[in-house]
Amino acid sequence: MTDLLHLDARELTCGPSAPDAFAHAFDGPGAARALVTFGSENHDGNLDLALSLLSALGTVLALYPDRGCWDELTVRDDVDPGRTHGVGENRLHVDLVDRDRTPRLIALYCVRADPAGGGASALSDLRTAAEDLDEADRDLLRRPVFSYFTDHGVHGVGEGLARFPVLPGHLEGREPIRFTSKMLPHLQRGELVDGGAPEQVAAAFGRLVAAAEARRTTVRLQPGQLLVFDQWRYAHGRMPLGPGQRDLPPGQRRLLKQAYGHRFEATREAR
């Protein structure tokens, strides 16, 4: 990921202007995404500092309060390979895509990289992917006729929407792009859409998936690195883990920590 902004945690967490420096870098040259490298091997301390950086951008969430602000992204070989904890490709998507307060910020901290050399994190700029479509496709994707399977037991993200548009009316970033590649096979079967011309809608969504994948970039996080991005703009995913995951003890497999947040301006507007 050659255009990803790389930042040194030491320069962002020391001094009275440090939080503002991170926010300005994130929103400016970072284009709403940044990779922060911590020099320390103290993951607990790094995670605390990572939360302070995230809180410089907005309100940190605890989707599952009993787990705290950080959730663990472990690797399991007994689940669907394409799901969060699987060993295969987790295709580009937005988390909590159907929630009326879809979190805008995601932070991924690496505790262990995949010893088999896989598991790179993927990002794709959905705004530019949507701009790659023609206006007819964008009009179809602006219709509030889509639905998706909701996550239960989550806090701080509002209610599930029965129907929603994939694309907002404008692509300037004030509303989320509600995208997950996993919708495509359902749409192709006439599912998860309530409205006329389901075949045309599915075709338009398929072109958005292709445009997003064409713009996908990847970064393989190393221990002590933090990836922060605005998921109202960037879809994310995971490339396949390396071979032989079943032979690796669970304590040696890739391990990321994940946290969510609302941007300050989004929080104020939602009140």
Side-chain angles (χ1 to χ4, degrees):
M1 187 175 288
T2 57
D3 60 344
L4 182 63
L5 180 67
H6 290 249
L7 299 170
D8 187 332
R10 290 171 298 182
E11 299 175 3
L12 301 173
T13 54
C14 298
S17 65
D20 286 341
F22 177 64
H24 288 313
F26 183 83
D27 289 322
R33 56 183 178 163
L35 180 68
V36 180
T37 299
F38 293 84
S40 170
E41 297 180 359
N42 177 4
H43 295 304
D44 288 340
N46 291 346
L47 287 167
D48 287 341
L49 291 173
L51 287 182
S52 74
L53 292 177
L54 193 59
S55 66
L57 301 177
T59 304
V60 180
L61 300 174
L63 265 64
Y64 304 95
D66 59 324
R67 305 179 194 174
C69 296
W70 292 105
D71 200 10
E72 289 196 342
L73 302 183
T74 57
V75 174
R76 294 172 52 188
D77 56 20
D78 60 346
V79 299
D80 182 339
R83 304 294 292 179
T84 300
H85 299 277
V87 300
E89 178 185 353
N90 189 1
R91 298 185 68 188
L92 293 167
H93 63 282
V94 168
D95 284 356
L96 300 151
V97 67
D98 71 315
R99 291 289 169 149
D100 62 1
R101 296 190 66 203
T102 299
R104 188 163 186 171
L105 298 170
I106 290 183
L108 296 173
Y109 177 85
C110 181
V111 177
R112 289 191 301 270
D114 177 18
S121 297
L123 291 179
S124 178
D125 190 336
L126 292 175
R127 189 182 304 172
T128 54
E131 291 170 348
D132 289 341
L133 305 180
D134 62 29
E135 190 60 29
D137 280 348
R138 287 195 291 269
D139 283 342
L140 286 169
L141 297 175
R142 291 187 187 112
R143 297 180 182 180
V145 298
F146 299 88
S147 62
Y148 198 63
F149 310 104
T150 197
D151 290 283
H152 297 286
V154 291
H155 297 261
V157 292
E159 302 296 326
L161 299 171
R163 295 288 182 269
F164 55 83
V166 170
L167 298 182
H170 301 281
L171 295 172
E172 78 283 2
R174 293 179 62 84
E175 298 177 77
I177 296 175
R178 299 181 181 277
F179 170 87
T180 170
S181 300
K182 300 168 189 178
M183 288 175 61
L184 182 56
H186 296 280
L187 294 174
Q188 291 171 333
R189 294 193 294 267
E191 304 165 353
L192 302 182
V193 61
D194 181 17
E199 293 181 358
Q200 291 179 320
V201 169
F205 189 84
R207 286 187 281 272
L208 179 58
V209 170
E213 290 180 345
R215 292 187 172 274
R216 180 178 62 196
T217 54
T218 62
V219 57
R220 186 168 177 265
L221 299 177
Q222 297 301 308
Q225 289 189 321
L226 174 77
L227 177 64
V228 184
F229 58 92
D230 179 346
Q231 75 150 2
W232 283 18
R233 176 171 178 176
Y234 296 99
H236 66 283
R238 180 197 65 242
M239 303 310 291
L241 278 293
Q245 295 295 315
R246 183 165 294 182
D247 299 325
L248 290 172
Q252 294 181 16
R253 296 173 183 171
R254 174 182 181 264
L255 176 61
L256 302 186
K257 299 273 192 171
Q258 179 175 248
Y260 296 91
H262 291 306
R263 286 308 305 258
F264 284 131
E265 64 270 24
T267 301
R268 285 197 296 267
E269 290 168 1
R271 289 175 180 170

